[in-house]
Amino acid sequence: MTNKTSNQTSTSANKWFKKIGFGLLTFFAIIIGSYALVMPLLVPMFAQQSPVHANFLLQSQTLLYFHFIGAGLALLISPIQFYLYKGFKKSHRLLGRVYGLSVLFGAIGALNMAQTAYGGLISTLGLSVLSILWLAFTGIAIYFAINKNIKAHKRWIIRSVALTYAAVTLRLISPFIGMVFDDIATSQIVYWLSWIINWMIAEIWIAKKNL
């Protein structure tokens, strides 16, 4: 009886942890995704205070819009997709197409931005690798979805979403790294660490769930 009660308590606790985790992911997606959508309009104002944002003014404004709007939409769509998957398959497929296009535009814009990233070559390489992997993981996930290999699709879309959330991780870790390093070193570190951390977490999750 004690073991049964203990198992029920553990199961209940796990459900609450999942709900809290999903709630936080949704919260950050809404905040950072919405911020990204309006970011192109805020760049001129932020550029007066931040060398990172001032660097955006040197880039193609069209591709800047590509990145922020594409990445913002992809981030906003991500938690909705995990909710829709179980009971709303048609909506899931339709929104999946929008997610794929959002990543395409977001990655193209990011790859362009990476070439003049604040922090020089190290930052450029970090953002370029992220952009290429983000696009590749999403493309592979779509390929498996089209071919009805749902288990493989799950693996790769988890990896894709993990890189989508690099925008969140970057903003969460930047203030802490900035306490130790200067602006250039901080940019160089977060442009790598933000997506590597997320990718590692995704791989642990995939292995744990045996996907």
Side-chain angles (χ1 to χ4, degrees):
M1 186 70 176
T2 303
N3 288 337
K4 185 177 180 180
T5 303
S6 177
N7 289 336
Q8 288 176 341
T9 302
S10 177
T11 301
S12 179
N14 286 335
K15 286 182 179 179
W16 275 107
F17 279 126
K18 286 180 181 179
K19 286 181 179 180
I20 292 171
F22 186 74
L24 286 172
L25 288 174
T26 303
F27 171 77
F28 285 122
I30 293 171
I31 297 299
I32 304 301
S34 300
Y35 168 76
L37 292 179
V38 300
M39 184 63 191
L41 302 177
L42 302 176
V43 166
M45 179 179 68
F46 288 161
Q48 300 175 17
Q49 306 166 1
S50 165
V52 176
H53 293 94
N55 201 44
F56 291 160
L57 296 177
L58 305 175
Q59 301 167 6
S60 164
Q61 296 304 292
T62 299
L63 292 176
L64 195 72
Y65 272 81
F66 272 20
H67 171 65
F68 283 117
I69 294 175
L73 284 175
L75 191 54
L76 288 168
I77 289 169
S78 294
I80 299 173
Q81 280 294 78
F82 284 105
Y83 171 76
L84 290 177
Y85 171 72
K86 290 185 178 180
F88 304 91
K89 296 294 177 68
K90 288 184 178 179
S91 298
H92 177 81
R93 286 194 291 269
L94 177 61
L95 207 55
R97 294 185 179 95
V98 179
Y99 175 83
L101 286 172
S102 298
V103 171
L104 175 63
F105 283 102
I108 290 171
L111 197 56
N112 173 74
M113 292 169 64
Q115 307 316 305
T116 55
Y118 186 70
L121 181 60
I122 295 175
S123 295
T124 293
L125 289 174
L127 288 176
S128 295
V129 174
L130 167 59
S131 303
I132 293 167
L133 289 177
W134 189 29
L135 190 56
F137 289 175
T138 306
I140 294 169
I142 291 171
Y143 169 80
F144 282 123
I146 291 172
N147 287 278
K148 310 298 182 184
N149 189 338
I150 303 304
K151 189 170 184 178
H153 169 70
K154 285 182 180 179
R155 287 197 301 270
W156 287 99
I157 203 64
I158 287 171
R159 292 177 178 122
S160 169
V161 170
L163 298 193
T164 300
Y165 268 83
V168 174
T169 305
L170 183 148
R171 285 161 180 82
L172 291 178
I173 66 176
S174 289
F176 299 102
I177 294 176
M179 293 177 184
V180 181
F181 300 97
D182 61 24
D183 288 346
I184 292 177
T186 296
S187 295
Q188 293 171 337
I189 292 169
V190 300
Y191 287 155
W192 282 93
L193 209 55
S194 59
W195 61 268
I196 290 174
I197 290 173
N198 288 13
W199 190 4
M200 290 175 62
I201 292 172
E203 293 301 334
I204 292 170
W205 179 262
I206 290 167
K208 183 180 178 181
K209 295 296 182 180
N210 194 30
L211 293 175

